[in-house]
Amino acid sequence: AAQGPRFGELKMPVLIIWGEADHVHPIRQGALLRTLIPQAELVRVPQCGHLPHVEQPRRVNALLRQFVGVAARLPAPGRP
């Protein structure tokens, strides 16, 4: 039997990076994904389309460095 997405089961921190000018998957889909993953953070990248990591690599790298630094300080799921 096929199962639907199980985003709500994710326990780890999640960073969603989405280009505001994405015409392949509009920003409203990123916002919907954010509602399906309670602990997710959605970052909208202005003046950016479908490939934020290609179109604005410095911005994406800064976001990733910040996210990984914050996530590394959080306790692992199931641990105090």
Side-chain angles (χ1 to χ4, degrees):
Q3 289 185 341
R6 297 167 44 185
F7 297 119
E9 295 178 20
L10 295 172
K11 303 298 181 207
M12 73 289 284
V14 175
L15 177 64
I16 303 168
I17 301 173
W18 213 281
E20 286 186 347
D22 189 336
H23 296 290
V24 177
H25 298 289
I27 191 70
R28 69 178 177 274
Q29 291 180 339
L32 172 63
L33 184 59
R34 165 59 189 91
T35 66
L36 297 173
I37 307 171
Q39 74 285 6
E41 175 187 355
L42 172 61
V43 178
R44 299 167 178 244
V45 182
Q47 301 174 348
C48 187
H50 187 63
L51 301 171
H53 63 289
V54 173
E55 297 172 43
Q56 295 193 27
R58 288 188 175 132
R59 172 76 174 132
V60 171
N61 284 339
L63 290 167
L64 291 172
R65 282 193 303 272
Q66 179 184 12
F67 177 75
V68 170
V70 169
R73 292 189 297 272
L74 296 175
R79 293 187 179 164

